[in-house]
Amino acid sequence: MSGASRDYWDTRHRDHDDLASGGHIGLDRAGNEIFYALRLGALLPLIGDLADESAPLFVLDAGCGKGHFARALARCGHRVDAFDASEEAVAHARARGGGPRWSVAALDEWRSAWPYDVVLCVDVLFHVLDDAEWAAGLRNLASLVRITGRLILTDEDTATRRPRGDYIVHRPTADYRALLEPLGLRHTHFRPYGFRENEVGFHVFTRTR
């Protein structure tokens, strides 16, 4: 991640509350409470209900921000690693605690000695404007998914590239498939958020080999 991008996210996480900094910056607190609740409600069925104290699902939250989803998944019994490129966000997450193991890293920097049942990347990749950086981050996340595991990422389900403002570019679903399918991950589902005018949703890729 470029220095300018890190500075942007450090400033955003420093200047906005725990929901707006990683949620919808144009919404008030109540609106973001609804936005987070709807996304979590859509996400949980995609992860599944296989959590067990003796054999919890091992989940990675890549680009976790201040840790809202990571803490929620830990409360659901999952074992969670979570990282973000913003030191401000991770410092906030560590202060809150909540179960996950917090780290500072960019999408292409995270390494793990073991694969994950689920690798999650919520509302991060469409903020990565540089295509080479986007591809490097996505390849690294793919490498962390175990056989039959899932990579769950968010973007629009679009056929065209859609830049929006200074910090968003929505990429075609075909671009994700073209990069991930040769790596053994098959696109198995898209579930839209269903929140107001937002066209983003969860893309699920399942490792088949």
Side-chain angles (χ1 to χ4, degrees):
M1 177 178 283
S2 69
S5 184
R6 287 181 193 267
D7 289 345
Y8 169 81
W9 286 106
D10 278 339
T11 299
R12 178 163 164 170
H13 284 295
R14 185 169 52 247
D15 293 349
H16 295 276
D17 69 26
D18 57 325
L19 297 185
S21 60
H24 194 309
I25 202 168
L27 296 176
D28 60 14
R29 179 77 185 190
N32 265 310
E33 288 282 6
I34 295 169
F35 186 38
Y36 272 92
L38 281 173
R39 285 184 293 171
L40 181 61
L43 174 62
L44 288 175
L46 300 177
I47 291 177
D49 58 357
L50 300 178
D52 184 296
E53 288 186 4
S54 63
L57 290 180
F58 193 24
V59 179
L60 175 66
D61 186 353
C64 64
K66 291 178 177 175
H68 184 93
F69 292 113
R71 281 189 296 273
L73 295 175
R75 290 195 300 271
C76 291
H78 303 302
R79 181 184 172 196
V80 182
D81 283 345
F83 72 85
D84 198 275
S86 168
E87 293 186 4
E88 286 281 342
V90 174
H92 180 97
R94 283 177 175 154
R96 287 282 303 275
R101 298 185 298 185
W102 310 102
S103 300
V104 176
L107 294 180
D108 62 344
E109 294 173 342
W110 182 255
R111 301 293 184 267
S112 175
W114 43 79
Y116 295 90
D117 298 296
V118 178
V119 174
L120 175 67
C121 191
V122 179
D123 291 3
V124 177
L125 287 161
F126 55 73
H127 287 297
V128 180
L129 305 185
D130 182 82
D131 287 336
E133 183 182 340
W134 169 84
L138 195 52
R139 286 193 190 95
N140 188 48
L141 297 184
S143 74
L144 299 167
V145 182
R146 69 165 176 81
I147 295 293
T148 74
R150 280 155 285 178
L151 171 61
I152 302 176
L153 56 87
T154 65
D155 207 328
E156 294 183 352
D157 186 19
T158 177
T160 59
R161 186 182 179 96
R162 296 178 178 178
R164 293 190 178 174
D166 294 332
Y167 277 93
I168 293 176
V169 57
H170 295 293
R171 292 176 174 86
T173 302
D175 287 6
Y176 286 95
R177 295 182 65 171
L179 190 149
L180 292 171
E181 288 179 352
L183 301 177
L185 288 119
R186 182 169 58 88
H187 191 262
T188 53
H189 189 65
F190 175 74
R191 178 164 183 169
Y193 293 162
F195 179 70
R196 300 182 185 178
E197 78 287 351
N198 199 308
E199 297 182 45
V200 175
F202 293 102
H203 289 278
V204 181
F205 287 84
T206 303
R207 179 170 290 287
T208 58
R209 56 178 174 83

